[in-house]
Amino acid sequence: MAPTAVLLDFDGVIADAENYHVAAWQRTLIAMGWELTDEAASPAAEMDDRPFAAELFARRGLDEADVDGWVRKKQELTVRLIRLHPRTYPGVAELLHALEGRARVAVVSTTWRENVDAFLEAAGLAEAVELIVAKEDAAAPKPAPDAYLVALERLGVAADRAIAVEDSPRGLEAARAAGLARLAVGHRRERGEWVGDARFVTSFEDLDEVLGQLGLPDRKPS
C-alpha cells in the first residue's frame, strides 16, 4: 500500500543547516574572546547544543560556565541566520509540492521548533507541512523512536502506513525502532553502511525517482 504520511527529518534532509550551527557557535563564542576553528566547531552540526557547549567548556576548564545561558545566545543567533538565508537542499520544494494532496507531511526533528518554524516560513514552505514534531515534543532524542511515535500519534496514522526520510544512521535507527519504512537521502553523503536496509536516493533532484522510492510513483494530476 502507498503510504498516507511522509515524515521528514529537518537538518540534513530539508535544511542545509550545518553552517548555521557552526557559524552561530563561532560568533557566539567571540563574545568570550574565543576563536573557534571550523574543525573545532564542526561537531555542532550533529550534536545537541547543550552537550556540545558543556564539552567545549569542560575542555577549557570552565566547569561552572553558564552553559544554558550560552546555548540561549547561540539559539537566538541561529534563528536570525536562518531567517536571513534559508538554505534548502535541491528538490525539496518540488518534493513537498508533489506530495500535496497525496500524502500527509510532517517534519520530525531533534532541533528546536523555533528553528523549523523560522526556516519553513522564510523558505515559503510552511503551508506544505501539516505537523512539526521538534525537540520539545519528545522525551528522548534520536536514535530513540520517541519523536516518530509522537508524530504517528498526532497524525493518527499507523506505522505501516508511513515512511520516514532521514540522512543519518541515528535518524534511520529512530525510524526503524518506530516500525517505519525508511528512505535515506545522501545529499552530501555517499551510500554506505550507514544506510543499512533502508531505501536510498542520492538527492531529491530526480523527483520521479524519489516518489517511486517513497511508494508514490505516480505524480498527482497538475
Side-chain angles (χ1 to χ4, degrees):
M1 290 185 294
T4 59
V6 177
L7 315 179
L8 300 109
D9 182 36
F10 178 66
D11 290 340
V13 170
I14 293 174
D16 184 0
E18 176 178 344
N19 289 337
Y20 299 138
H21 299 291
V22 170
W25 271 120
Q26 288 175 319
R27 296 183 191 185
T28 298
L29 294 173
I30 284 175
M32 298 181 70
W34 294 8
E35 288 192 14
L36 199 63
T37 66
D38 290 346
E39 182 179 1
S42 63
E46 296 187 357
M47 286 182 68
D48 187 72
D49 284 334
R50 198 179 193 289
F52 174 79
E55 182 178 307
L56 193 65
F57 293 148
R59 287 203 304 267
R60 297 281 183 118
L62 302 175
D63 296 327
E64 297 187 15
D66 180 11
V67 172
D68 290 336
W70 287 105
V71 166
R72 284 194 297 273
K73 291 179 184 295
K74 178 266 178 182
Q75 171 59 17
E76 291 169 2
L77 182 53
T78 301
V79 172
R80 290 203 295 273
L81 292 174
I82 286 172
R83 286 181 173 145
L84 282 171
H85 188 41
R87 295 163 52 99
T88 58
Y89 282 104
V92 166
E94 291 81 2
L95 173 60
L96 291 178
H97 292 317
L99 292 174
E100 290 177 7
R102 305 193 57 222
R104 301 170 72 184
V105 175
V107 171
V108 181
S109 176
T110 54
T111 196
W112 298 106
R113 176 180 298 275
E114 184 181 24
N115 291 351
V116 182
D117 282 337
F119 185 95
L120 294 176
E121 182 179 349
L125 298 173
E127 295 301 317
V129 175
E130 176 179 343
L131 173 71
I132 296 170
V133 175
K135 180 194 290 283
E136 301 94 319
D137 301 303
K142 300 171 186 177
D146 299 44
Y148 279 115
L149 295 175
V150 169
L152 292 171
E153 180 180 7
R154 291 183 180 177
L155 289 172
V157 173
D160 63 359
R161 299 304 310 278
I163 185 168
V165 185
E166 282 282 356
D167 71 308
S168 72
R170 292 172 64 85
L172 290 170
E173 171 57 25
R176 186 201 64 76
L180 294 164
R182 287 146 287 135
L183 174 63
V185 57
H187 287 316
R188 296 178 179 174
R189 181 181 298 187
E190 293 183 359
R191 185 171 192 163
E193 292 184 5
W194 68 276
V195 175
D197 62 355
R199 307 168 196 174
F200 179 81
V201 291
T202 58
S203 72
F204 292 150
E205 294 182 82
D206 186 337
L207 182 57
D208 287 327
E209 178 190 12
V210 177
L211 290 172
Q213 293 287 7
L214 289 172
L216 298 162
D218 301 316
R219 296 197 196 187
K220 68 176 183 178
S222 57

